Each structure stands twice: as structure tokens, then as C-alpha cells.
């Protein structure tokens, strides 16, 4: 496959990805497909390569039923094949020694020191980095799912406190996005996009 055809495929995936809210119930994503989607999502970029995301994957029907009231009874969390909770790691800095394990001692020590200095006594930075970098992986997850023939919908409408309690999420992880994935029962509703002239500011305001 040429570089041009690869680019066209990526463009098509981006154009065809839409937020689908109605799914065919009972459809199971083959494990190989799911693992490939998650692997592609995990290849997203991240600050200092700390890979701040964690994926809580919910496929069990009983657990999806527990999600229903947490998601304010939005039926897609039950009908979708899987629901991926994209979590951001507030303590991603702890991964630095592992991330730089193969670097030279000088580079490893420099990077670990830099990261620890940035995170020290700065919970706002930790939260900002967790949410920002988990968002990169979330977008890549949606595109990977579409490339494999599945649809998805990013959801911010859920009760984070109830989610944390029900699924025993440790304090170091902040829920950033609920993402049902599955086979569309109905196509996504058409949406309008603002013109680029309204979105793009050249050079400065």
C-alpha cells in the first residue's frame, strides 16, 4: 500500500466517524479486534511519553446494567458491545523510570528529574496532563474503532462519583470519557460544522 492510499484511508475514517447513539444489542466484538483497537489507541502521543491513559473495558451484561443509571439511563451503554471508560492517571509521573528504562543513565536521570520537578506539589498540572493526554488516546480509540468497522459515541453525561464507587476506581485515576463501541442500529444524526473561517485565526487575534 502506498503512502498516498494510507493517507486516503485515514481521511476516509475521519470523515466517516460520527457519534452513533443506537446500537445492535447482543453483538460481541471479537477479542482480537478489541485488542487491536486498544493497542492503536495506546499508540497516541503523550507528554514525556508517560501514557497517562488507562482503559476500563466493560463488556459483561450485568456490569453494563450497572452503568445504566450512572449514565442517566442512556440506553447505548447497555446495547453497545463494549463501553470503554477512558481514565487519566494523576500519578503518571510514577511511570517515568519504566518509560526511560532503556535510555542512557544520563538521559534517564535527566528526564525523571524534569518530570518529578514539574509534578512536585502541582496537582493542577497532574490533572491537566491526565485529562489532556487521555483525550489524545480517546480520539485515537474512536478512529481505530471506525477503521475496524465499529461505531462509537463519546459521552460526558454520566455521574463520575457513582462510576468511581461502583467500579472501585482508585483515586489516582480521573474519569475523562465514557465511550460505547459497537455496531450501529441506526446511522448517526447529521450534524452541521462551523465554517473554517469562523474557527481558524491566522497569526493572532
Amino acid at each position: 500500500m502506498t503512502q498516498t492510499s494510507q493517507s486516503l484511508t485515514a481521511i476516509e475514517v475521519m470523515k466517516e466517524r460520527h457519534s452513533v447513539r443506537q446500537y445492535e444489542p447482543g453483538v460481541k466484538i471479537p477479542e482480537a479486534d478489541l485488542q487491536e483497537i486498544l493497542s492503536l489507541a495506546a499508540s497516541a502521543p503523550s507528554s514525556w511519553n508517560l501514557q497517562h491513559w488507562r482503559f476500563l473495558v466493560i463488556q459483561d451484561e450485568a456490569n453494563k446494567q450497572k452503568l445504566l443509571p450512572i449514565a442517566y439511563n442512556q440506553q447505548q451503554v447497555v446495547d453497545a458491545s463494549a463501553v470503554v471508560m477512558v481514565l487519566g492517571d494523576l500519578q503518571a509521573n510514577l511511570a517515568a523510570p519504566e518509560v526511560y528504562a532503556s535510555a542512557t543513565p544520563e538521559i534517564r536521570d535527566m528526564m525523571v528529574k524534569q518530570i518529578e520537578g514539574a509534578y512536585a506539589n502541582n496537582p493542577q498540572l497532574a490533572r491537566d496532563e491526565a485529562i489532556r493526554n487521555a483525550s489524545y488516546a480517546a480520539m485515537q480509540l474512536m478512529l481505530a474503532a471506525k477503521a475496524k468497522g465499529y461505531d462509537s459515541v463519546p459521552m460526558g453525561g454520566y455521574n463520575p462519583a457513582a462510576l468511581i464507587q461502583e467500579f472501585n476506581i482508585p483515586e489516582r485515576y480521573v474519569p475523562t470519557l465514557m465511550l460505547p463501541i459497537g455496531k450501529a442500529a441506526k446511522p448517526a444524526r447529521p450534524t452541521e460544522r462551523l465554517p473554517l473561517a469562523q474557527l481558524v485565526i491566522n497569526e493572532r487575534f
Side-chain angles (χ1 to χ4, degrees):
M1 183 178 290
T2 67
Q3 185 62 43
T4 302
S5 62
Q6 287 178 333
S7 299
L8 288 173
T9 300
I11 290 169
E12 290 169 354
V13 167
M14 285 186 279
K15 286 184 173 181
E16 291 175 9
R17 186 220 61 80
H18 299 288
S19 295
V20 169
R21 291 173 173 81
Q22 295 186 50
Y23 293 88
E24 296 180 12
V27 175
K28 183 172 176 58
I29 299 176
E31 186 63 20
D33 281 359
L34 183 59
Q35 289 302 310
E36 185 176 4
I37 290 167
L38 294 170
S39 179
L40 289 167
S43 71
S46 61
S47 299
W48 294 294
N49 193 31
L50 292 179
Q51 301 154 64
H52 305 67
W53 48 79
R54 296 295 182 273
F55 304 126
L56 172 60
V57 182
I58 300 167
Q59 300 180 83
D60 179 77
E61 291 302 319
N63 283 330
K64 288 195 288 184
Q65 288 294 337
K66 291 176 182 177
L67 272 182
L68 191 57
I70 293 171
Y72 307 121
N73 297 311
Q74 296 180 79
Q75 187 64 28
Q76 61 260 38
V77 301
V78 174
D79 292 341
S81 303
V83 179
V84 180
M85 288 304 313
V86 183
L87 310 175
D89 187 358
L90 297 171
Q91 299 177 20
N93 56 303
L94 299 180
E98 182 180 359
V99 167
Y100 293 98
S102 61
T104 64
E106 292 79 13
I107 291 176
R108 182 178 64 249
D109 293 346
M110 178 187 69
M111 295 305 298
V112 170
K113 183 177 179 180
Q114 181 185 114
I115 292 164
E116 289 303 328
Y119 270 78
N121 303 314
N122 195 343
Q124 187 60 50
L125 173 80
R127 184 176 179 83
D128 289 348
E129 290 292 341
I131 294 172
R132 178 169 33 247
N133 289 281
S135 298
Y136 300 153
M139 188 69 249
Q140 200 143 306
L141 180 59
M142 288 183 269
L143 294 174
K146 188 62 184 177
K148 294 294 293 182
Y150 302 97
D151 286 289
S152 63
V153 56
M155 294 173 55
Y158 60 91
N159 184 329
L163 178 81
I164 289 167
Q165 181 176 5
E166 180 62 52
F167 291 91
N168 198 33
I169 298 173
E171 288 185 4
R172 71 180 281 179
Y173 301 117
V174 56
T176 67
L177 191 71
M178 181 179 288
L179 189 67
I181 301 173
K183 289 289 186 180
K186 291 185 178 179
R189 295 194 298 267
T191 57
E192 295 295 330
R193 296 290 163 170
L194 296 172
L196 279 183
Q198 194 171 333
L199 300 173
V200 177
I201 299 91
N202 288 307
E203 309 299 344
R204 59 183 297 172
F205 280 93

